[in-house]
Amino acid sequence: MTTATAPPIVSPNCTIDTADNGLTYKISPGASIEELQELAIWGRKELMRAEPLASVILLTPDSRVSGTCYAGLLSGEVPRLRRVQNQNFQFEPGVEIVELDQVKGLEFDYVVLVDCSAASYPKDNESRHLLHIAATRAAHQYDAVVRL
């Protein structure tokens, strides 16, 4: 594995363990939106540095969250960042942000489910189906971002 560079911030609320088997993010309930955003920016930049040919998809529950994620990662200068709308995927290396309901039947190297919470995915059959779709899109790694 490629050695990770130091993250831009380390706080009591957000820490990163760079073990030999990958990165482990430890986020406390007290983490601010700014800390989470900075951690996400660093993580996507680090992945694109380590694996420049990887396809990474950030799955969101709705267009509002997609827009917020895109603006945050864009401000962090994440390389090859794209906001997908109307299933207009590029299928090229980089980071794409899209709503979960647009990816059925597609596969990506790395999948990150953003805002995996009961508020975004209540206990019903439709949400269960969407979460199943998210969990089965990754060829190599699947991560879910959960706020406790």
Side-chain angles (χ1 to χ4, degrees), residues 2-8 16 18 23 42 45-46 49:
T2 305
T3 304
T5 59
I16 301 172
T18 55
L23 300 176
W42 179 84
K45 279 182 164 180
E46 182 62 27
R49 183 187 69 74

Side-chain angles (χ1 to χ4, degrees), residues 17-29:
D17 177 18
T18 55
D20 288 338
N21 61 348
L23 300 176
T24 302
Y25 300 91
K26 298 175 183 174
I27 304 169
S28 77

